Amino acid sequence: MTIHRKAFYGLMASVAAVSLALTGCTASSSSPTTSTSASGSAAAQGDDPENASLTYWYWGESDAPGANDWMKARIADYQKLHPGVTINFVEQTTDTLIGAFATTAQTKSGPDIATQWATIPVLSQAWAGAIAPISDYVPSSETSNWIGTQENTDKGKIWGVPLYVIGIPLAYNKDLFAKAGLTAGPTTFAELLSDCKALKSAGISPIGMGNKDGYFGAWFFSNFGKQNLDDVSELKSAIVGTNNIADPKYTGYLQAMYDMKQAGCLNDDIGSVTLDQGMSKFKQGQAAMAWGTDGLVTSWSKALGADKIGVVMTPKWGTGKLADVYNTTQSSTAFITSWSQHPKAAAQFLTWLHSPENLASWYAATGIFPADTRFDQSAIQTDLAKNLWKFDSSPGAVWLENYLPPSVDGDGDLAAGQVITSGGSVADAVSTFQKAVEKWRATNTDEVKNYTTWASSQ
């Protein structure tokens, strides 16, 4: 999920190549293999986990402020424990994460460990032969402790390592609510619209978000788009064409976004500022509400005071069974590339990140819950953190965006939301989403086939 979240997947390959160069993404020092299954390759057979040079393309800071420093420190610790191993940390940007990896995967010459967002962004690269299944190198006695592996599982293989779990609650400023005569955060869509009206009457901006980059629309899809569904299988059927994606069951959430804009819930400049810039209005006390990741909400509480912030699940709008569940995902997924000459070394490092000491230090550094059942929950001390954990650990939670093919997410989901926030109609927004799905079906034969097979097996 991003800041979360997701990057513009529809980037042209040439643009991604330029981004690759600008972000300093250098190839691994080892020569690439042509194997699409590292477990049977020469690389795996000659791999020494105690003697390797690894390159790690890492993304996480946008989800979890403090993640970069934590990972750099862990790499330094690991290199001390394993002096024959060096790990080159290369930070990835949200806007180029998908395109940069897609470009390097074409030549199979890039990192040994990389990051993509969970589920289809990971599985689509697995289907393309760019990822080695982590379950080929790590026993089930270990992976059974990891939370969220089902998001990246296909054909009996686990393709990525979850490092943390994250949700996106709606945060509200208790002081600003009190000034408007409000005592609690909204739990229904009708209450949300009513609260917006009361806040505006009190001269307070109701919600601070940004959609210049499309990410507010992506979050809105995940939080509201699931609410008319009984199960994610319904969305999968609409993606492959069994059901009509233009049916309000799937794209009716765009009407809810339109209604919020018309009611004045959203900041006037939402279409011209990025998600980060929009959310900063909440942190600065200039807006009464904002959606934010667990890590962002934790950082906001440090700026405003933990007692000043309340959190609620996204208000209920739809009538499906998924309207009652939360939106937890593992978000950022680490995986081993199929061309890496050192998959055993990479797997050993990624497994080490799940050690009890590292689980504890991750939570201390970011305020984000580790994706591991061995995490010591006694570390959760504040009422705010306890509420976030209650949401994140609730049964049935799903992040709907994970189930969109990359190009549909960028050209459909993100773009449709931008139509609304830039003043367009619901009909035009729905058409934008529908065209993206139809284009994906027409131009991605192999991915459509793999997606359809995967969807029917879940």
Side-chain angles (χ1 to χ4, degrees):
M1 184 189 318
T2 50
I3 268 251
H4 225 33
R5 255 219 15 179
K6 296 198 173 174
F8 226 105
Y9 300 122
L11 291 174
M12 298 293 289
S14 58
V15 175
V18 172
S19 300
L20 187 64
L22 292 176
T23 53
C25 300
T26 57
S28 170
S29 58
S30 302
S31 60
T33 83
T34 57
S35 170
T36 58
S37 179
S39 60
S41 68
Q45 295 169 15
D47 186 14
D48 180 359
E50 298 300 329
N51 184 17
S53 178
L54 305 173
T55 295
Y56 189 174
W57 287 8
Y58 180 75
W59 181 93
E61 186 72 17
S62 293
D63 261 357
N68 281 355
D69 288 342
W70 177 84
M71 182 58 74
K72 291 175 184 177
R74 299 292 73 71
I75 288 172
D77 287 347
Y78 189 81
Q79 290 176 154
K80 291 177 182 177
L81 293 169
H82 304 269
V85 177
T86 59
I87 303 174
N88 178 31
F89 174 96
V90 183
E91 181 182 359
Q92 300 297 287
T93 67
T94 300
D95 289 338
T96 62
L97 182 63
I98 295 291
F101 186 79
T103 297
T104 201
Q106 293 176 5
T107 60
K108 290 183 166 55
S109 58
D112 300 274
I113 307 171
T115 307
Q116 297 285 277
W117 290 301
T119 313
I120 297 305
V122 171
L123 294 181
S124 62
Q125 291 299 337
W127 298 333
I131 299 177
I134 190 69
S135 54
D136 280 5
Y137 299 98
V138 180
S140 59
S141 58
E142 170 63 26
T143 61
S144 63
N145 297 297
W146 299 351
I147 298 171
T149 53
Q150 78 285 348
E151 291 187 321
N152 297 312
T153 297
D154 186 35
K155 297 181 175 66
K157 301 281 189 179
I158 301 173
W159 296 92
V161 181
L163 298 179
Y164 56 89
V165 292
I166 197 167
I168 297 184
L170 178 63
Y172 66 95
N173 185 312
K174 294 179 181 179
D175 286 351
L176 295 182
F177 262 53
K179 289 181 180 178
L182 303 172
T183 58
T187 59
T188 67
F189 193 69
E191 288 177 359
L192 177 61
L193 296 182
S194 177
D195 288 354
C196 288
K197 182 178 180 180
L199 288 162
K200 285 182 68 68
S201 296
I204 300 168
S205 179
I207 297 175
M209 300 298 291
N211 203 37
K212 180 181 180 181
D213 44 19
Y215 302 152
F216 169 69
W219 285 10
F220 203 92
F221 169 74
S222 286
N223 283 315
F224 286 94
K226 67 179 173 62
Q227 291 198 26
N228 276 336
L229 305 178
D230 290 332
D231 188 85
V232 294
S233 62
E234 295 174 326
L235 175 67
K236 296 175 187 176
S237 294
I239 294 298
V240 299
T242 305
N243 299 328
N244 182 11
I245 192 68
D247 189 301
K249 185 180 186 73
Y250 310 105
T251 45
Y253 77 95
L254 291 163
Q255 181 67 54
M257 186 188 293
Y258 180 86
D259 291 344
M260 285 179 60
K261 188 174 188 301
Q262 293 300 110
C265 290
L266 307 177
N267 42 301
D268 292 337
D269 61 350
I270 188 171
S272 59
V273 298
T274 65
L275 183 63
D276 285 343
Q277 293 168 333
M279 290 187 297
S280 70
K281 297 176 185 291
F282 182 85
K283 182 178 181 180
Q284 296 163 6
Q286 298 173 358
M289 291 180 280
W291 279 272
T293 66
D294 294 343
L296 286 170
V297 171
T298 299
S299 70
W300 297 342
S301 73
K302 294 176 182 177
L304 297 172
D307 60 331
K308 308 285 185 172
I309 292 182
V311 288
V312 293
M313 292 173 56
T314 290
K316 187 172 181 178
W317 163 78
T319 58
K321 293 179 181 178
L322 294 188
D324 295 314
V325 304
Y326 195 51
N327 57 38
T328 313
T329 177
Q330 63 171 279
S331 184
S332 174
T333 299
F335 55 82
I336 303 169
T337 58
S338 62
W339 56 81
S340 173
Q341 297 293 301
H342 307 288
K344 292 180 182 177
Q348 181 172 276
F349 170 68
L350 291 173
T351 300
W352 177 78
L353 292 177
H354 275 262
S355 67
E357 296 79 10
N358 287 330
L359 299 178
S361 67
W362 165 264
Y363 181 67
T366 66
I368 299 284
F369 307 114
D372 198 299
T373 59
R374 294 166 294 192
F375 168 55
D376 184 0
Q377 296 175 29
S378 67
I380 305 173
Q381 295 291 324
T382 68
D383 289 340
L384 177 62
K386 290 176 181 178
N387 282 334
L388 293 174
W389 175 251
K390 179 181 178 180
F391 291 164
D392 287 347
S393 59
S394 60
V398 60
W399 185 256
L400 197 67
E401 190 187 5
N402 287 352
Y403 299 91
L404 294 179
S407 64
V408 172
D409 198 14
D411 297 335
D413 177 21
L414 274 68
Q418 288 176 313
V419 170
I420 298 295
T421 55
S422 64
S425 69
V426 174
D428 285 346
V430 172
S431 177
T432 296
F433 205 124
Q434 182 177 21
K435 288 177 181 177
V437 173
E438 292 172 348
K439 181 179 178 181
W440 172 75
R441 293 186 201 137
T443 59
N444 296 273
T445 305
D446 289 342
E447 189 170 288
V448 170
K449 180 179 179 181
N450 283 310
Y451 184 101
T452 303
T453 301
W454 166 77
S456 65
S457 67
Q458 298 296 301

